[in-house]
Amino acid sequence: MKLKIHEIAQVVGAKNDISQLKDSLINNIEFDSRLIKEGDLFLPLKGNRDGHDFIPIAFQNGALATFSEKEVDYPHILVSDTLLAFQELAKYYLEKMTVSVIAVTGSNGKTTTKDMIATVLESTYKTYKTQGNYNNEIGLPYTILHMPDTTEKLVLEMGQDHLGDIHLLSQIAKPDISVVTLIGEAHLAFFGSRDKIAEGKLQIVDGMKDNGLLIVPNDPLIKPFIPNNQEIIFFGEETPLTVHHLKEYKDYLTFSLDFIDGDIYLPVTGKYNATNAMIAAYVAKRLGVLQENIKSSLKNLVLTKNRTQWKKAKNGADILSDIYNANPTAMHLILETFSSLPNQKNGKKIAVLADMKELGEASKKMHEAIITSLNPDQIDVVYFYGEDIYPLYQLAKEKFSTEKLAFFKKDNTVDDISQLIKRLQDIIEPQDQILFKGSNSMNLEKVVDRI
């Protein structure tokens, strides 16, 4: 990291005399004292525990100095707000390193699209990306301040729980290119309507440099929030940027694009992933990546864990795990993909669906709407797990025979996940295919791991 202690103190407006601090180059910045190594700067944040309580441990582990909101008996940079100082430092560091920033947000597909963009850019540029789910007011500056010194392209994922979240992230990152993958229903409980979700997502432009590139879906909800100082590219139906000749197979896709010669092979399922790959290919093309590199990178794509991932059960059955998160759009899409797969010889198709969280007052209605994607001619068995999903189970009983359905309740006093696991272990045969889909908080990974 190309930052020195005195430089950092100046950027964040240190309130104490730092002249006594040795002006050393720091190695890293960490907010977890357990991760501190020799020569690092410690960042105490206030959460369930006050990070200031761990300053002594940070220095035991080799910290060079610490941020602090109060005077402490260790080398420190005194600030009013450690998180704000962290964010200001990240903003400064991006400007100092002159890195091109590609920002990605959306109600669904943002992590996959981020991974795809980074994968394709890596064929040509020194590229770094958001690691895991570090896409919030702490994770984004952390990503910036942990990028390698040689980074040329930085791909940042931006998440939102409330209106204003992405405004802050955009102001820190100042993207050159911004992508909105989808305006869905994620976090509807906090926003109230898809219009508000669209408004929040389009705040990605708030920190963009003039004449940047904004790539957005052809969705009427977006139109009122489109800026007039950026180049706008719409994608989807009835636009020049769309997927052609899509063919879906069990664990890969092929399709074509107007701006790439020949077919593209993508080693993941789900036609929505063809759209995500199209966005990645277009960003790369605009940044000068050769089309042979684009096609090769997508062909060898490796996605973040639990996003539309095929696994093997202990008895050999095929598991389609898509359990990182869930909203109605994502649920419909994965069920559409799973339904279109041919059955293995004498095998069943089993869907295990869990609650979609943070849908607010619309939760019951949106869970019930999933019934349109459940067809007994295409899916043999459906198991429901949770509490919010119960109304969907009730509707499904009108379409499926009783022995093809089961509901496993989860609430504060009863948790039938062990019964769900046992039932699956009893019925799964080697030739079966099983889909798992639900919000991350439903812990379906425990079920996947057991079977």
Side-chain angles (χ1 to χ4, degrees):
M1 178 178 287
K2 296 181 178 179
L3 285 172
K4 288 188 172 183
I5 290 290
H6 287 191
E7 179 184 11
I8 293 170
Q10 183 178 3
V11 169
V12 302
K15 294 175 172 290
N16 60 326
D17 180 9
I18 51 90
S19 61
Q20 301 304 310
L21 294 181
K22 185 178 179 182
D23 193 22
S24 302
L25 201 66
I26 67 165
N27 291 332
N28 256 324
I29 298 178
E30 296 291 350
F31 55 82
D32 186 337
S33 59
R34 297 168 295 185
L35 299 179
I36 289 289
K37 296 178 181 176
E38 198 74 32
D40 288 351
L41 176 65
F42 181 53
L43 174 73
L45 296 173
K46 292 179 179 177
N48 295 329
R49 293 284 304 273
D50 187 344
H52 291 78
D53 296 341
F54 298 92
I55 289 176
I57 297 175
F59 278 89
Q60 288 174 17
N61 290 338
L64 191 65
T66 182
F67 282 114
S68 181
E69 294 177 7
K70 58 187 177 183
E71 294 287 354
V72 292
D73 295 329
Y74 295 93
H76 64 283
I77 298 171
L78 186 65
V79 295
S80 299
D81 185 318
T82 54
L83 177 56
L84 181 60
F86 189 47
Q87 294 166 347
E88 288 298 318
L89 185 61
K91 186 188 302 185
Y92 166 82
Y93 195 58
L94 265 184
E95 294 171 354
K96 176 178 179 174
M97 300 301 288
T98 61
V99 174
S100 296
V101 176
I102 300 93
V104 183
T105 192
S107 300
N108 198 55
K110 58 182 175 292
T111 300
T112 299
T113 304
K114 174 259 298 182
D115 287 343
M116 289 179 173
I117 293 172
T119 295
V120 178
L121 292 181
E122 283 169 358
S123 69
T124 306
Y125 301 102
K126 299 290 186 181
T127 304
Y128 191 65
K129 67 178 181 180
T130 299
Q131 305 296 301
N133 63 345
Y134 271 38
N135 63 8
N136 63 8
E137 73 279 6
I138 298 172
L140 182 133
Y142 185 91
T143 300
I144 293 169
L145 290 166
H146 280 74
M147 66 179 175
D149 293 346
T150 56
T151 301
E152 297 172 297
K153 307 294 181 187
L154 180 63
V155 188
L156 294 174
E157 180 180 328
M158 296 184 176
Q160 72 171 6
D161 290 330
H162 301 87
L163 191 64
D165 289 348
I166 291 179
H167 167 81
L168 170 65
L169 302 180
S170 181
Q171 292 288 355
I172 295 171
K174 299 192 180 307
D176 300 278
I177 298 174
S178 291
V179 174
V180 179
T181 61
L182 180 74
I183 304 300
E185 306 87 357
H187 308 301
L188 193 60
F190 303 131
F191 287 87
S193 70
R194 288 184 67 235
D195 299 75
K196 283 294 181 183
I197 293 172
E199 180 181 355
K201 295 298 184 187
L202 265 293
Q203 289 181 342
I204 199 168
V205 306
D206 292 356
M208 284 184 71
K209 306 171 180 75
D210 284 347
N211 303 313
L213 175 62
L214 175 63
I215 303 171
V216 293
N218 188 27
D219 186 330
L221 290 177
I222 283 178
K223 304 297 174 65
F225 309 109
I226 293 295
N228 57 17
N229 63 333
Q230 308 292 345
E231 179 186 356
I232 313 297
I233 299 294
F234 291 100
F235 66 86
E237 294 183 7
E238 300 181 0
T239 73
L241 196 58
T242 191
V243 171
H244 302 291
H245 309 118
L246 173 67
K247 294 181 181 178
E248 290 191 78
Y249 302 90
K250 177 188 168 185
D251 50 8
Y252 70 95
L253 307 168
T254 62
F255 59 94
S256 62
L257 301 171
D258 289 334
F259 56 92
I260 300 286
D261 294 334
D263 284 346
I264 291 174
Y265 174 96
L266 194 66
V268 295
T269 190
K271 67 180 183 181
Y272 49 90
N273 276 321
T275 299
N276 297 334
M278 174 188 68
I279 295 169
Y282 185 75
V283 169
K285 183 86 170 178
R286 290 291 299 263
L287 291 175
V289 178
L290 299 176
Q291 65 174 358
E292 53 264 38
N293 289 343
I294 293 173
K295 293 172 71 174
S296 175
S297 297
L298 291 175
K299 183 177 181 179
N300 295 292
L301 176 73
V302 177
L303 289 181
T304 299
K305 183 181 177 182
N306 284 332
R307 284 172 167 80
T308 323
Q309 184 180 30
W310 281 102
K311 299 184 175 185
K312 279 287 184 183
K314 293 174 183 177
N315 70 350
D318 290 321
I319 296 172
L320 181 56
S321 174
D322 193 7
I323 56 178
Y324 182 78
N325 219 332
N327 58 54
T329 301
M331 187 77 82
H332 281 296
L333 288 171
I334 195 64
L335 281 169
E336 180 181 313
T337 292
F338 188 63
S339 296
S340 68
L341 297 175
N343 283 59
Q344 308 278 22
K345 186 177 181 181
N346 299 320
K348 304 183 295 295
K349 284 200 292 187
I350 304 166
V352 180
L353 308 179
D355 291 355
M356 300 178 288
K357 294 301 186 182
E358 298 178 354
L359 296 179
E361 295 179 358
S363 178
K364 181 176 183 292
K365 180 179 178 181
M366 289 189 169
H367 277 88
E368 288 178 335
I370 301 300
I371 194 65
T372 60
S373 294
L374 291 176
N375 186 336
D377 294 329
Q378 297 172 317
I379 299 177
D380 300 292
V381 177
V382 187
Y383 289 163
F384 303 89
Y385 172 61
E387 185 177 15
D388 301 338
I389 205 164
Y390 184 74
L392 175 59
Y393 165 64
Q394 292 289 80
L395 283 180
K397 288 194 291 186
E398 299 175 9
K399 297 178 69 172
F400 290 77
S401 57
T402 305
E403 69 273 13
K404 303 296 185 182
L405 301 174
F407 174 71
F408 301 85
K409 186 176 183 180
K410 178 182 180 182
D411 60 27
N412 293 331
T413 57
V414 179
D415 190 341
D416 280 350
I417 198 166
S418 58
Q419 283 83 0
L420 170 59
I421 293 169
K422 185 178 185 306
R423 178 73 67 87
L424 287 168
Q425 290 172 332
D426 288 343
I427 73 160
I428 292 175
E429 298 176 289
Q431 63 270 31
D432 290 345
Q433 299 172 89
I434 310 103
L435 166 68
F436 287 89
K437 183 66 177 175
S439 284
N440 193 35
S441 60
M442 297 304 293
N443 298 318
L444 283 179
E445 72 275 5
K446 292 181 180 178
V447 186
V448 174
D449 290 343
R450 286 287 297 276
I451 66 167

